[in-house]
Amino acid sequence: MRRLLITVLAVAALAGLGTTLTRALTDGDGSASGADGAQQSTGLLDRPAPSLSGPTVMGGTAALSRYRGKVVVVSIWASWCAPCRAELPVLAAAHDRYRPSQVAFLGIATRDSRSGARTMVTRTGLTGVPSILDTDGSIAIDWGATGVPETFVVDRAGRIRAHRVGAITAHWLDDAVRPLVAR
Amino acid sequence: MTHDATGSRPDRGRRLARILLATLLLVAVAIGLWNAHSNADRSLAARLDSVTSGLRCPTCSGQSVADSESDLARRMRAVAAEQLAAGRTPDQVKTYFVQRYGRQVLLDPPLSGLGLVARLVPFVLLVAGGVIIARRLGRRRGILTGAVFTLGLSAVLVGTGVLGPVIRQSAYPPPTLPAGAAASPTASAQRTTGTHAALEALQSGDARTAEREARGELSSARHGSRRWQDALLVLGLAQHQLGDKQAEGTLQRFLNAAPKHPAAPMVRKLLAGG
């Protein structure tokens, strides 16, 4: 009888010890990897692109679904972001260059006012690329973005195949788009 | 007291042990069920807190989405609240963020290495306890009691959230590694977050955005650090541009904290000029 009670108590004590150990390790891991967690990238790579539609900066509406079957370059930008000011002309030039290849370009103007974004579009020559207005930044979150600019390349099947955090270059865009166009 | 009327000492002891064990198990199951029920019935605010406190703010150093005041964390909280209000469960909302930001967005450690061993310890101990009891009590009664013991204690552990993370881990999709270009330091340096975003917004005349970004940066930076000083400076300048009465106090706070900052002479001049 006594043995049974001792056994029960021993098991309970061991379970308690295990629990404490688990909790201690959980807390330790959480704080240790905290700094490494900064600036993480999207988890959407090679997964279907989130749905994207809405009113555009210049008026009208745009939707990613309209470009099904095409390679689509999606750029997240804002008029208050200096790297974006440098990047958007690169994007506009790529839009012109890839027009014969049937590559579509879509923008997401995030946490921006319509007037500010409109001025930016006009200044950088991005008028040919529809940019969806994301005033509250929720679309950027839906795309797993952590800042601006960020660029995604979506393949013909609607999967994200490339992602760039920071301003793109013509070289990076070519490397990401050309293999997908050739498929 | 006769031997027949009261039974032998070992019999009495065994009966007492059985009653004690049954009571313990009933209490264990009751606590487990009560906890599970109260977890399911929590308010929206409590569910939001449970979700956001388990998510790492992707642009902060070791802060949860619940604790961080960065702009991204604020927006993540808003998205989480919206989804919970729409009827999604906390686990579904967490999965949504894991799919977008990778498993790194979870503050719970991944199930691997020592963490995996530690997480399995309670399970192993539970099963071992059940087996020991089963063997002590003999075949028929022992197996039943051992099984009830294991289930009862499992209910308590799940109810109190100890085994929850182990069970929940299996619900998340496997982590996806980001593209090399995306994670490169050069790429990160070219992007706009925190104080840079605030400064750029200020330069482009958008003082509201500058103020918001600077506040977010201020709350996520270590108090007194250079990042914190810069954020305080930009906040003060944004408030000044907005004609906010708090501007003077903020800029004075900046001067007190960073009298030798390269921007300090300019700020003193600004304050002296009214």
Side-chain angles (χ1 to χ4, degrees):
Chain A
M1 183 57 235
R2 201 173 290 165
R3 261 192 212 164
L4 175 66
L5 277 176
I6 290 168
T7 309
V8 170
L9 286 173
V11 170
L14 278 171
L17 188 70
T19 302
T20 311
L21 182 65
T22 307
R23 288 231 160 138
L25 280 169
T26 304
D27 292 346
D29 284 9
S31 56
S33 57
D36 298 338
Q39 311 297 339
Q40 291 299 346
S41 183
T42 185
L44 286 170
L45 206 63
D46 295 328
R47 292 179 178 278
S51 61
L52 172 62
S53 64
T56 63
V57 169
M58 303 304 277
T61 57
L64 181 64
S65 58
R66 286 183 203 159
Y67 304 102
R68 184 61 89 160
K70 285 186 180 181
V71 174
V72 188
V73 177
V74 178
S75 170
I76 302 182
W77 59 271
S79 64
W80 44 265
C81 146
C84 303
R85 275 198 285 278
E87 183 198 63
L88 293 192
V90 176
L91 207 67
H95 171 249
D96 293 341
R97 202 168 63 249
Y98 278 106
R99 202 186 302 250
S101 311
Q102 292 286 298
V103 176
F105 286 73
L106 255 180
I108 299 170
T110 191
R111 287 181 293 144
D112 218 336
S113 63
R114 188 184 287 273
S115 59
R118 199 172 272 184
T119 307
M120 180 83 152
V121 164
T122 312
R123 268 189 204 162
T124 55
L126 201 69
T127 43
V129 176
S131 283
I132 291 167
L133 203 56
D134 174 31
T135 320
D136 64 0
S138 58
I139 296 177
I141 284 187
D142 207 30
W143 281 71
T146 54
V148 277
E150 287 198 22
T151 305
F152 300 82
V153 180
V154 181
D155 71 7
R156 295 180 194 278
R159 284 182 177 266
I160 293 175
R161 294 299 182 191
H163 174 219
R164 170 88 171 184
V165 178
I168 59 159
T169 60
H171 180 70
W172 179 86
L173 200 61
D174 287 346
D175 282 353
V177 171
R178 274 181 190 156
L180 301 177
V181 172
R183 273 185 204 172
Chain B
M1 202 181 280
T2 65
H3 184 84
D4 287 334
T6 56
S8 64
R9 271 178 84 95
D11 279 351
R12 214 168 31 171
R14 205 168 285 169
R15 201 178 301 148
L16 187 68
R18 248 180 262 149
I19 291 168
L20 187 67
L21 195 61
T23 311
L24 276 173
L25 291 172
L26 276 173
V27 170
V29 171
I31 291 172
L33 288 174
W34 181 77
N35 264 302
H37 173 74
S38 57
N39 282 349
D41 200 35
R42 284 177 301 169
S43 67
L44 177 65
R47 278 181 289 143
L48 178 63
D49 190 59
S50 84
V51 169
T52 53
S53 60
L55 294 174
R56 189 192 309 281
C57 163
T59 55
C60 313
S61 293
Q63 271 191 308
S64 72
V65 169
D67 293 337
S68 171
E69 275 307 314
S70 74
D71 187 63
L72 180 63
R74 274 203 298 266
R75 284 184 288 129
M76 285 172 80
R77 283 199 295 271
V79 169
E82 204 175 291
Q83 294 194 359
L84 288 169
R88 284 200 179 183
T89 65
D91 278 351
Q92 283 173 330
V93 178
K94 275 192 175 184
T95 304
Y96 169 87
F97 285 108
V98 168
Q99 283 171 345
R100 274 141 188 89
Y101 292 98
R103 196 177 276 187
Q104 306 92 323
V105 80
L106 293 174
L107 280 170
D108 283 338
L111 267 181
S112 62
L114 193 59
L116 177 64
V117 174
R119 293 246 171 139
L120 289 177
V121 164
F123 273 129
V124 174
L125 290 175
L126 278 172
V127 175
V131 170
I132 290 169
I133 289 172
R135 292 191 63 170
R136 293 278 176 211
L137 290 182
R139 257 186 208 171
R140 273 183 66 191
R141 228 174 291 153
I143 289 171
L144 183 68
T145 316
V148 173
F149 168 84
T150 305
L151 287 173
L153 205 51
S154 297
V156 174
L157 293 178
V158 170
T160 51
V162 173
L163 295 184
V166 183
I167 295 161
R168 280 199 303 272
Q169 284 280 352
S170 59
Y172 297 115
T176 315
L177 288 174
S184 77
T186 320
S188 295
Q190 289 172 350
R191 59 207 305 273
T192 304
T193 54
T195 308
H196 283 123
L199 199 57
E200 280 163 14
L202 196 64
Q203 283 167 346
S204 65
D206 188 355
R208 286 260 171 245
T209 302
E211 188 191 20
R212 196 179 59 217
E213 292 283 346
R215 278 192 192 283
E217 192 68 1
L218 204 58
S219 57
S220 64
R222 187 169 52 81
H223 186 87
S225 66
R226 181 58 186 258
R227 204 177 127 213
W228 182 85
Q229 292 171 4
D230 289 345
L232 193 63
L233 169 65
V234 178
L235 175 66
L237 293 175
Q239 287 172 335
H240 181 76
Q241 208 170 86
L242 289 166
D244 190 331
K245 285 177 185 170
Q246 289 180 314
E248 197 177 327
T250 308
L251 290 171
Q252 194 55 56
R253 209 170 134 215
F254 162 77
L255 284 178
N256 294 340
K260 290 179 181 170
H261 192 283
M266 181 270 287
V267 174
R268 283 194 196 97
K269 208 170 153 186
L270 189 73
L271 288 176

